[in-house]
Amino acid sequence: MKKLAIAMCAVASMMLSVNLVGCSSGSSDKSAEGADSTAVEQAEATDAGQVVEISTDDYIAKVADIHSDPLAYLGSTPCIVDFWATWCGPCVALTPVMHEIAEETGITVYKVNVDQCGAVADAYGIQTIPALFLCKDGKVTPYEGKRDKDTLLQEAKKLME
């Protein structure tokens, strides 16, 4: 029980540090207003069927403008967003599954490192990881189901319909 409490305190302190850290992809012509539809379509074509680690700027350009309310999915093809961190064992274990799902379904999986992209995690109120979001038809929806490969594969296939 004591080890659990220590682990929870460590996670809580790391999550607090996430609030202080944002990530950036360096120079960018894209404003916080988001990207135009042509840029989003080009990104979708390039990223299709892959697992792509993205920065805050890339997230705003390809997935959703975190400064808008409500948060709306910008793309026209479905994707999965995987909030994760390198120190999170379950997150690391989920990574090969997400690669298999992207490969088998052609869906894009965007990985958002909560330690580097705190602003994105904050926009969704991420408190525990791994956290998955399904994006389709202008909506970014938290995924609440099981995280085994078969269940996630079924969800990804449904998302692609």
Side-chain angles (χ1 to χ4, degrees):
M1 192 65 154
K2 186 175 181 180
K3 288 182 181 179
L4 178 62
I6 291 170
M8 289 180 72
C9 287
V11 169
S13 68
M14 285 182 202
M15 292 306 291
L16 284 174
S17 68
V18 165
N19 290 331
L20 302 174
V21 178
C23 71
S24 162
S25 64
S27 66
S28 173
D29 294 333
K30 307 226 183 322
S31 69
E33 300 297 316
D36 64 9
S37 62
T38 305
V40 173
E41 289 168 6
Q42 289 172 344
E44 286 179 332
T46 303
D47 297 342
Q50 297 183 47
V51 175
V52 181
E53 290 188 37
I54 60 175
S55 67
T56 297
D57 289 344
D58 287 340
Y59 188 90
I60 291 168
K62 296 178 180 184
V63 183
D65 182 355
I66 61 171
H67 305 291
S68 68
D69 186 30
L71 296 168
Y73 177 52
L74 300 172
S76 59
T77 60
C79 74
I80 297 173
V81 178
D82 177 10
F83 289 91
W84 75 293
T86 57
W87 49 263
C88 169
C91 299
V92 173
L94 186 60
T95 297
V97 172
M98 299 312 293
H99 278 276
E100 289 179 44
I101 288 169
E103 195 174 289
E104 289 182 35
T105 64
I107 198 165
T108 303
V109 176
Y110 290 114
K111 293 186 69 67
V112 178
N113 185 322
V114 297
D115 290 331
Q116 297 173 351
C117 301
V120 179
D122 287 347
Y124 292 95
I126 302 298
Q127 303 229 347
T128 59
I129 53 174
L132 300 176
F133 283 72
L134 309 178
C135 303
K136 183 178 182 179
D137 299 331
K139 296 181 181 131
V140 181
T141 309
Y143 174 71
E144 302 292 334
K146 292 181 182 178
R147 293 194 168 97
D148 62 275
K149 181 187 173 197
D150 292 335
T151 304
L152 287 171
L153 186 57
Q154 287 175 347
E155 289 297 321
K157 286 179 179 177
K158 279 196 273 185
L159 201 59
M160 293 300 285
E161 294 175 352

